[in-house]
Amino acid sequence: MEWRERLKGLLEPYGEVIETEKGLIFEFGDDEGDFSDRLAFVIEEPEEWPLVEVAVKAIADLTDHDVPGRNVFAFGFEPDFEGTLIRLRLFDGRPGEGPVIGDVPEKVVKIAERNGLRYHRGEGEGLGLPKDFTEEDFEALVKLVEAVAFEW
């Protein structure tokens, strides 16, 4: 899989990349707390490269801060995980209206609103971009992923 090598190269400056048979994992955060505060962002289809770029940009920004809790980004599969999983995906959404928030814990919506982030609701599980997203939608999704990881 070509995406694995490309992604490993993008993530390695920010920390250890764990390679499994199913995909790649990048984990960061503190070692305190229990597994209930863990959060995983899952990109099951890393061939949908804009979502990978969102994750890499968020990771780059987040690793400059002390992020509370444990955060995992899984690429290519859903990890066996104790905590909350949030899928990043493409939606049938409205371009230019921000990222799409589908079925996710209500805490995600509250974090978006508390941070003044523009979004619209969509059908299906997870967070993501409309298929014909704009640069503003992309940047807003990066900010939302960062806010959720930081405030979870």
Side-chain angles (χ1 to χ4, degrees):
M1 292 184 179
E2 179 184 310
W3 65 266
R4 284 183 187 228
E5 291 306 313
R6 185 173 171 200
L7 181 54
K8 278 175 37 181
L10 292 172
L11 291 175
E12 283 175 345
Y14 307 110
E16 180 183 2
V17 180
I18 301 166
E19 189 163 5
T20 72
E21 275 185 29
K22 297 177 184 178
L24 301 176
I25 295 176
F26 185 88
E27 183 174 13
F28 65 94
D30 65 36
D31 292 326
E32 297 176 13
D34 59 24
F35 287 107
S36 65
D37 70 344
R38 290 176 57 132
L39 176 65
F41 292 98
V42 177
I43 300 173
E44 290 180 291
E45 301 292 332
E47 294 82 4
E48 294 175 342
W49 197 254
L51 298 172
V52 171
E53 290 176 330
V54 164
V56 170
K57 193 164 185 179
I59 288 167
D61 291 344
L62 288 165
T63 54
D64 287 341
H65 305 352
D66 289 331
V67 178
R70 303 287 298 165
N71 292 277
V72 172
F73 285 81
F75 301 91
F77 70 107
E78 179 181 314
D80 184 17
F81 184 79
E82 290 185 50
T84 303
L85 289 170
I86 298 176
R87 283 175 173 63
L88 296 179
R89 55 179 287 243
L90 297 176
F91 284 87
D92 289 325
R94 297 182 304 273
E97 294 189 25
V100 180
I101 297 179
D103 296 331
V104 293
E106 191 60 27
K107 187 175 182 178
V108 173
V109 175
K110 289 180 179 171
I111 290 169
E113 290 172 351
R114 188 169 44 248
N115 285 278
L117 298 173
R118 198 168 141 201
Y119 69 90
H120 61 285
R121 297 305 298 252
E123 296 292 321
E125 186 180 357
L127 300 176
L129 293 168
K131 289 179 181 169
D132 295 320
F133 65 92
T134 65
E135 186 64 29
E136 291 80 20
D137 297 334
F138 179 91
E139 292 300 328
L141 181 58
V142 171
K143 288 178 183 169
L144 180 56
V145 169
E146 291 173 5
V148 170
F150 197 78
E151 296 181 30
W152 195 259

